[in-house]
Amino acid sequence: MDIKLTSKIILEKEFKKNFKGYNVEEVDSFLDEIIQDYETFEKVVAQLREENRKLKEEIDTTPKKQTVAPVNGTTNFDILKRLSNLEKHVFGSKLYE
């Protein structure tokens, strides 16, 4: 994704003039606004690129998240199932009333 125009290219652009052409002052005024926008876009793009670079660097330097292996083959599902069975045993049918 290449940007074809820069604020400098817009500033230096010259148009041919003819008898029934556009008002030169209006065109210049409009081009001045476009140049200001391009300068703003260039600053924003530079800031975003820098932020993106920093975030990528942060990702590369941050330790990877370690996953906890199930102890003795026990998974969360097994633990929840055991907990449910214990609740049934301790509270009996009162839990489900």
Side-chain angles (χ1 to χ4, degrees), residues 15-79:
F15 297 93
K16 296 178 185 176
K17 299 175 186 171
N18 74 25
F19 180 68
K20 293 187 178 186
Y22 293 103
N23 180 320
V24 175
E25 289 84 23
E26 284 183 36
V27 172
D28 284 345
S29 175
F30 186 68
L31 288 176
D32 287 343
E33 289 180 39
I34 293 172
I35 290 169
Q36 288 175 347
D37 278 353
Y38 261 78
E39 288 171 347
T40 301
F41 294 148
E42 289 169 349
K43 289 177 188 175
V44 169
V45 167
Q47 289 172 344
L48 291 174
R49 284 183 176 154
E50 177 63 18
E51 181 182 353
N52 193 25
R53 185 195 62 76
K54 286 180 182 179
L55 291 172
K56 284 181 178 181
E57 185 178 288
E58 187 178 316
I59 287 172
D60 291 340
T61 59
T62 302
K64 302 293 183 233
K65 186 176 180 181
Q66 304 248 340
T67 57
V68 178
V71 179
N72 298 332
T74 305
T75 64
N76 285 347
F77 179 76
D78 295 329
I79 293 170

Side-chain angles (χ1 to χ4, degrees), residues 77-92 95-96:
F77 179 76
D78 295 329
I79 293 170
L80 289 172
K81 188 175 178 181
R82 289 180 65 197
L83 183 60
S84 177
N85 287 337
L86 284 171
E87 287 175 341
K88 286 179 188 175
H89 179 72
V90 171
F91 298 108
L95 185 63
Y96 298 101

